[in-house]
Amino acid sequence: MTEAYATIVFLFVLFTLLGSSIWIGLALMGVAWVGMELFTTRPAGDAMITTIWTGASSWTLTALPLFIWMGEILYRTRLSQDMFRGLAPWMRFLPGGLLHTNIAGCTIFAAVSGSSAATLTTVGKMSIPELRQRGYPEYMIVGTLAGAATLGLMIPPSLTLIVYGVSINESIIKLFMAGIIPGLVLAGLFMSYIMFWHFLRPSERPAPEPSMSIGEMLSESRFLIPVLCLVFAVIGSMYFGWATATEAAAVGVIGSLVLAMFQRSLTFSAFLESLMGATRTSAMIALILMGAAFLSLSMGFTGLPRALAAWIDGMDLSPIVLIAALTVFYVILGMFLDGISSVVLTMAIVEPMIRQAGIDVIWFGIFIVVVVEMAQVTPPIGFNLFVLQGMTRHEIGYISKTAIPMVGLMLLMVVILVIWPELATWLPNNIRQ
C-alpha cells in the first residue's frame, strides 16, 4: 500500500506541475522534493544539493555541450549544399532517384550532429527546394525527410544516447558503437520504402536526370570529402580507442571550426550564435538531468523502483512481452513529451525492470532510441513535425500522414532488433580498447 500511495502522489504532483507549464527539469525536482518530504526523514534540501552537484559535475556529461556545439557550427556552414552536390550523382541511378539524398544526407549529417532537429533543418533547407524543382511528389519529399531526420538520434554522436548513458551510468562509447549498425539498417529500410514507391507509382516519377560522365561524378564527389573526414575523426577515434567520448567531441568541434574556416562560411556573428545556441540547449538538457537525478534518489528512498521490479518479476513476463509493453508505453508517452524528457523521466523505474528481466542495457538503449524516434514524428508533440511545418508551410495533419510509413518502418526496426539483438551488441562487444 505504501508503494501504491507513493505512486499516486508522484504522478499527481508530476502531472500538476507539468500541466502548469513549469519547465520539465523544475517539475522533476518538485516531484522529488515532495517525495523526500513525505516518505523519508532525510532533509530534502541537503539531498537535492548533493545529488544535483554530483550529476552536474559528471565528466561524461562534458561531451554533451561539445557535440551540440559541433552541430550548431555545421548547421551554419555550407555543409548541406556540399552534401547534396556530392551525393546527387550517385543517388540518381537508384530506383527513386534523388529522394535517396534525403536519407543519405541525414545519415551522414547524423554522424556529425546528435540532434534530429539540426539534421532535419540542415538537410531539408537544401533538399526540399531541389527536389521540388525536379518534380518529386511533395508527400514523398516531406515524409522521407521527417523519418530520415530521426537518424540523428541513433547514429553517433547521439544526444539521447548520452543522456541515457549518464542516467544509467553506462559507457557512452559502447552506446555510440551500438547505434551504428541499427542506424544503417534503419536508413536501409527508409531507402527500401523509396524504391517500393518507385515501382508502385511509376506515374509519379519525375523526368530522368541528365547523364553525367564518370569524371564529372567523381569531381562532384569531392564535396563529400570534408564531412566524411570529420565523421571518421569523431567516430573512428572512439572505435579505435584513440579518444574518449568527450575527447572525440572536442575533436569534432575543432574539425567543424576548421571545416567552416576553409569554407569561409562562418562569420563572427554566426560563431556567437552557434555558441549561444549550444549553451541554451545544453543548459536545458542539464536541468532535466539534474531533476531526473534527484527524482531517482527520491524514488530510491521510497522503494518504489524495487517494488515495481519485484512486481514485474512476479508476473513472470517474458522479455519479449515486456519489450512490447514498453514500446506501447513509450509511443504513448512520446505523444506528449520530447525524447530526452521521456528517457530521464522513466529511467528510475524502467532500469530495474529491464535488469530484472535480464535485458542487456546497451541493447535497450538502442531500443529506446528507436521508440523515441517515433515520438519525433507522431502528433500532437512531434518536434520534427513542427520543424517541417515551419520549413514547408504545410498543416501538421498533412505532415503526420506523410510520416506514417516511416513510423511503420521504425516499428519494424523494433521487431528486427528483437529477432537479431546482435545488431546492437556485436560492435560494442568488439570495440578496440
Side-chain angles (χ1 to χ4, degrees):
M1 288 300 295
T2 303
E3 287 81 8
Y5 175 59
T7 303
I8 293 171
V9 171
F10 275 128
L11 291 177
F12 176 77
V13 175
L14 176 63
F15 285 115
T16 300
L17 292 176
L18 290 177
S20 61
S21 300
I22 292 178
W23 292 347
I24 291 177
L26 296 180
L28 295 178
M29 290 183 190
V31 176
W33 183 283
V34 171
M36 292 290 291
E37 290 290 347
L38 292 182
F39 302 109
T40 74
T41 56
R42 183 175 178 179
D46 293 345
M48 183 176 70
I49 293 170
T50 304
T51 306
I52 287 178
W53 172 253
T54 303
S57 60
S58 167
W59 172 248
T60 306
L61 198 57
T62 313
L64 187 69
L66 291 175
F67 278 128
I68 294 172
W69 191 21
M70 181 176 70
E72 289 279 346
I73 293 169
L74 293 175
Y75 167 65
R76 289 167 172 80
T77 66
R78 293 197 313 269
L79 183 68
S80 58
Q81 293 92 324
D82 287 353
M83 277 199 305
F84 192 91
R85 287 188 66 179
L87 288 171
W90 304 99
M91 299 293 108
R92 55 203 290 276
F93 295 111
L94 296 174
L98 294 184
L99 279 173
H100 291 288
T101 57
N102 272 350
I103 314 300
C106 287
T107 303
I108 293 174
F109 191 77
V112 289
S113 169
S115 165
S116 69
T119 302
L120 173 59
T121 308
T122 304
V123 177
K125 71 180 180 181
M126 185 60 195
S127 69
I128 290 175
E130 290 285 346
L131 294 175
R132 281 175 173 172
Q133 182 181 344
R134 287 167 167 81
Y136 285 89
E138 186 73 8
Y139 73 93
M140 287 298 295
I141 298 173
V142 176
T144 56
L145 191 58
T150 61
L151 292 169
L153 298 180
M154 179 179 291
I155 295 178
S158 163
L159 303 185
T160 306
L161 285 177
I162 294 176
V163 170
Y164 173 78
V166 170
S167 299
I168 68 166
N169 196 26
E170 188 53 70
S171 167
I172 303 298
I173 291 183
K174 285 188 175 182
L175 287 167
F176 278 179
M177 294 302 109
I180 293 176
I181 297 177
L184 295 177
V185 171
L186 186 56
L189 291 177
F190 292 157
M191 296 181 81
S192 300
Y193 166 66
I194 294 175
M195 295 180 186
F196 179 75
W197 163 82
H198 175 85
F199 292 112
L200 184 66
R201 301 277 183 90
S203 61
E204 296 181 357
R205 300 176 194 169
E209 292 291 313
S211 60
M212 295 178 67
S213 66
I214 294 296
E216 290 174 323
M217 293 171 63
L218 292 175
S219 177
E220 291 294 295
S221 299
R222 75 184 187 277
F223 292 101
L224 283 176
I225 294 175
V227 67
L228 292 179
C229 289
L230 187 59
V231 170
F232 177 79
V234 173
I235 299 179
S237 63
M238 289 187 287
Y239 177 76
F240 290 107
W242 301 336
T244 64
T246 304
E247 292 164 348
V251 169
V253 169
I254 294 172
S256 60
L257 288 172
V258 171
L259 179 60
M261 181 184 68
F262 277 106
Q263 286 186 332
R264 297 181 180 178
S265 57
L266 188 68
T267 63
F268 183 71
S269 61
F271 173 81
L272 291 180
E273 288 174 10
S274 72
L275 197 56
M276 291 306 299
T279 302
R280 282 190 292 268
T281 305
S282 303
M284 179 265 293
I285 296 175
L287 183 62
I288 293 174
L289 285 173
M290 292 175 194
F294 187 31
L295 181 60
S296 298
L297 177 70
S298 177
M299 285 188 169
F301 274 112
T302 65
L304 183 59
R306 291 188 298 274
L308 185 58
W311 178 63
I312 295 294
D313 185 50
M315 294 174 67
D316 201 25
L317 294 177
S318 69
I320 292 178
V321 174
L322 179 59
I323 288 298
L326 287 174
T327 300
V328 175
F329 169 70
Y330 275 110
V331 168
I332 295 174
L333 188 65
M335 292 180 180
F336 306 99
L337 289 176
D338 66 278
I340 289 176
S341 300
S342 299
V343 172
V344 298
L345 187 61
T346 58
M347 216 31 64
I349 291 179
V350 172
E351 183 190 357
M353 289 166 49
I354 61 173
R355 292 188 186 275
Q356 189 77 24
I359 297 172
D360 187 285
V361 291
I362 297 291
W363 179 92
F364 188 78
I366 304 307
F367 157 79
I368 205 171
V369 165
V370 175
V371 293
V372 161
E373 284 178 342
M374 289 185 238
Q376 297 289 307
V377 289
T378 52
I381 314 291
F383 189 68
N384 282 10
L385 302 180
F386 294 120
V387 176
L388 269 173
Q389 185 185 35
M391 296 175 69
T392 64
R393 305 301 178 190
H394 290 304
E395 295 293 330
I396 287 290
Y398 174 81
I399 300 173
S400 302
K401 290 178 183 176
T402 65
I404 288 175
M406 315 306 278
V407 174
L409 291 174
M410 292 177 204
L411 287 171
L412 176 61
M413 188 66 210
V414 171
V415 175
I416 291 174
L417 281 172
V418 171
I419 298 175
W420 293 290
E422 298 81 9
L423 290 173
T425 58
W426 181 81
L427 204 54
N429 292 337
N430 292 276
I431 191 172
R432 305 291 181 85
Q433 295 297 335

